[in-house]
Amino acid sequence: MRPRLPSVAPINSFYSKLLVAIVGAALCFLSLPCVQALNNGVARLPVLGYNTWNAYQCNIDEDLLLTTAKLMKSLGLQAAGYNYVNIDDCYSERNRSASGDIVEDKVRFKGGMKKLNAQIHALGFKTGIYSDAGWFTCAGYPGSYQNELRDAKTFQDWGFDYLKYDNCAIPYDSITRQGIVGRYQRMYDALAQLASTSRKAPMVFSLCQWGWSQTTGDIAPAWNSLADIINFNSFITQATDFYGRNDLDMLQLGNGGLTFEESKSHFTAWALMRSPLLIGTNLSTITPEILGILTNKEILAINQDDVVGKSISPFRWGTNPDWTSNSTHPAQFWSGPSKYGTVFMLLNTHNEPSTLSFNLTESPWIRAGRQYYVRDLWAHTDNGTAVRNFTAQDVPSHGVVALLLKDAGDEPDGLFPACSVWWQCTDKNGTHVGG
């Protein structure tokens, strides 16, 4: 299996002329063919939900999916906004039917996908399914190449709302005569055709293309894996906005291998970079501490901001010179806009506690000469007013500080020096302001 990449909103469920779109902002940044997701209201915000692969891989059946949906409801995850229950690879028979259709596994999904979807929908969730742009899926089950329209109709008839589309078992170049975008274009076209003829609600189209993805391999419940993904994504944050997201792969909280502080950092980075948040944890063993992280309402509110869709971005790398790629020590100082104020993430990438300090105006979203109310998004406390600088003392190893700063008016009069970045300023007579 490979990382799951960008979620897109292919079609609009409210208009007769329904279209599909492939997300492509990451492609633009990497100088690959540039395509844009449609501004059509579908999947405008990051998807929140559950995916079976990380916790169960191929060990899935209808009882597990229904139990997971019920747990999401009883644990309060649905109330927190997690509203998708997604099946990953291995749900089908190894071979298509005599008529050429994908068939659900007759033992593990003996009741059929239609019945399972109806049960999960009745609990208030949407559902997702998985396929591949090649001959086979990554686990060796039937892929959708040359069967795109047939499979899209099957998934729609089964009742799915979301399609994750992988990139294994690619046909020879002499067969496809296409590159990355062209292979996905085939399902793009199939979904568009299906939507225009069926008049049914469209599926979200989620691309998994690990050749130009944000990760260098499958995510693992280990700090080195998280740091590597954060480092890679730090250079393409501008590719995220409404309808197209840099998907950082599934959430590994609760799968072992991460400390509590690392789990907080994991969730904070994914959420504030506006990634889809797909839980990959065995919910029957989830701890109250991990559940508390996943349901942090203030962090989730930033992820689901309906006014500002942009990711946070680094304004200073910290350990390394700015714009330095380092898979073990990614950027430490991040900020971005939101409808609530300016969001900051301070990440301690070291193996010991660190004090992290910055000048407020290092962030492009902060105005010079102003002071700011400080809200701690993990402690859920108001921490006074910041003037010019902010310091977080003793941030735990691999830990995080998440802040929301709101304008509190002009900074106090008479501060010395006259500029927060004093060496950049001069008096109108030409003299430096002094340090």
Side-chain angles (χ1 to χ4, degrees), residues 381-392:
T381 56
D382 294 319
N383 292 0
T385 303
V387 180
R388 295 194 176 182
N389 298 284
F390 183 88
T391 298

Side-chain angles (χ1 to χ4, degrees), residues 50 63-75 78 85 119-121 123 125 283:
Y50 187 88
D63 292 335
L64 172 68
L65 268 296
L66 190 57
T67 298
T68 296
K70 291 177 179 177
L71 280 170
M72 290 178 71
K73 198 175 186 76
S74 65
L75 290 170
Q78 184 186 59
V85 179
Q119 291 174 307
I120 296 176
H121 285 152
L123 293 171
F125 293 99
L283 295 182

